[in-house]
Amino acid sequence: MLSVPSRIFDHMKKVLVTGGAGFIGSHTVVELVLAGFEPIIVDDLRNSEERALDGIAKILGRTPTFHRLDCADAVAMDAVFRAEGAVHGVIHFAADKAVGESVANPMKYYRNNVGSLMNLLGVMDAHGVHRIVFSSSCTVYGQPDANPVTEDAPDRKAASPYGFTKVACEQMLRDQCHADRRLRAVLLRYFNPVGAHPSGHIGELPLGVPNNLVPYVTQTAAGLRDHLTVNGSDYATSDGSCVRDYIHVVDLAHAHVRALQWMEEHDPPVCEVFNIGTGNGNSVLEVIEEFRKVNNVDLPVVMGPRRAGDVESVYADTTKCRTVLGWQAERSLGDAMRDAWNWQLQLKR
Ligand code: UFG
C-alpha cells in the first residue's frame, strides 16, 4: 500500500473524474494521485461497483472523494462544482460502451453519452473550468485503409450508435473549442484497454457475460465459462483471427495524467486528438497464446463464425502521442495478461 497523508490532498489540484469508479477511471484515479493531483470521483455506479473505491483505497491508503450521481444531471453536477470549489480540469469517462446494446437502445446512448458531455461543458463553463480530457475510441476509424492508423485518417460511417456518439462528442468538443477560446481539450482515442493494476486491487468488473476478449479469456481459464469462442478464423490476417492494439490499462491511465499536464503547458489553448495504443497489432489467437504462456494456464478454445460489426484489423500509429504528447506505452501484452489473470484470481477469493 502506498501511503498518501490526508493533508497532502489540501494542496493538490482537483481533477473531476466522471466514471472514476469504472475500469479505466479507477486506474486513472490512482495515477492522478501519484502524479500530485486530487481526483474527485463522480459516478452513479450503473456500470461499476463500490468495491472499485475500496480497491483504490487499498492501493493509496485513502479513499478519494466520491459523489454518487449521474453526470447528465445538471443540477447535481452544479452542486458538485460548487461544493468542491476550484477545479483544475475534468476527465470525462462516464459513458455507456456496449456496441450491441447501443443498436438495440440507441436513445440510451445518445442521452447518456452525448447528453452528459453537453451538460458537463455547460457546468464547466458556469464554474470557469476550461480543461477537459475526453475518452474517445479507435472505433471512429472503422476499418482503416492502412495500419498503423494515424489521427488524420478519415472518420468512417459509424458501425453502431455507440460509435457515432464518440464521433459526435469529438465534433462537439472541436466546435466548442473553436467558439470558446479559453477551452482546452484533449481527445484520447483508446485502442483496446486490457490488464489490471499489478496490485490486484482494481481491474475490470464486467456485468454478466463479458463482451470483450480478455475478460472472457480470464473467466474461461477460471472455469466460469465453458469455452472461449474465437470470432472468425477466415480474416485476411496472419492466422485468420482479428487484429487489435491491446494497451495495458495502467499505461492508458498515465496517458490521461500526461494529457492534463500537456494542457497546462499550452497557452494558447488547444484541442488535440491522440491515438493511445502500443503501435503493435496482435491477433485474437496471439492474445490467447500469450495468456497461456505467461500464466502457464490453459483454457478451452473453439473457432467460431465472425462477429457482426467487427473490423478485421486496427492498430495505432503512435508517432503523435510520442512526439507531441510525450507519452508511450511501457507495458507489454504479457504484462497485461499476467495482471488480468492476477485480478481474476483475486476476484475468486
Ligand atoms: N473476441 C473473440 N471472442 C470473444 C470476445 C472477443 O474472438 O469472446 C474477439 C472480437 O471478435 C475481436 C477481438 O476479440 O476480434 C477484440 O474484441 P473486443 O470485444 O475485446 O474489443 P473490440 O475491438 O470489439 O472493441 C473495443 C472496445 C469498444 C471500441 C472498439 C473500437 O470494446 O468499446 O474496441 O475498435 F469501440
Side-chain angles (χ1 to χ4, degrees), residues 100-278:
E101 183 193 44
S102 79
V103 175
N105 191 355
M107 284 309 117
K108 177 177 177 188
Y109 279 69
Y110 290 119
R111 193 177 307 112
N112 189 34
N113 294 8
V114 181
S116 62
L117 178 60
M118 284 173 67
N119 183 41
L120 186 59
L121 288 174
V123 181
M124 284 171 61
D125 184 52
H127 290 272
V129 180
H130 303 298
R131 291 184 192 90
I132 182 166
V133 182
F134 176 69
S135 302
S136 190
S137 165
C138 67
T139 194
V140 301
Y141 297 124
Q143 176 60 66
D145 292 334
N147 275 305
V149 62
T150 56
E151 288 83 350
D152 54 13
D155 289 356
R156 286 286 152 78
K157 187 176 180 308
S160 68
Y162 159 76
F164 185 67
T165 64
K166 293 298 175 190
V167 175
C169 288
E170 282 200 0
Q171 189 61 40
M172 193 194 306
L173 284 163
R174 278 190 212 97
D175 291 344
Q176 191 55 21
C177 284
H178 181 74
D180 179 352
R181 290 299 180 175
R182 297 163 302 173
L183 188 61
R184 294 158 169 82
V186 172
L187 287 49
L188 300 181
R189 289 180 177 161
Y190 311 155
F191 282 69
N192 287 54
V194 291
H197 197 269
S199 65
H201 293 315
I202 50 174
E204 201 165 357
L205 285 168
L207 298 176
V209 181
N211 287 314
N212 297 117
L213 177 62
V214 174
Y216 214 106
V217 167
T218 60
Q219 290 195 7
T220 307
L224 301 172
R225 309 274 159 214
D226 283 350
H227 60 267
L228 172 84
T229 303
V230 175
N231 298 329
S233 52
D234 59 350
Y235 287 100
T237 57
S238 59
D239 59 24
S241 63
C242 289
V243 168
R244 297 286 184 275
D245 186 334
Y246 294 92
I247 169 140
H248 196 296
V249 65
V250 174
D251 280 332
L252 178 54
H254 275 147
H256 294 79
V257 173
R258 184 61 207 132
L260 274 178
Q261 294 165 335
W262 188 75
M263 280 191 282
E264 285 181 57
E265 293 157 12
H266 278 78
D267 205 20
V270 282
C271 180
E272 279 293 344
V273 58
F274 294 100
N275 282 342
I276 302 296
T278 64

Side-chain angles (χ1 to χ4, degrees), residues 21-38:
F23 175 42
I24 308 169
S26 57
H27 289 80
T28 301
V29 163
V30 169
E31 297 308 317
L32 282 169
V33 172
L34 298 182
F37 293 96
E38 181 189 347

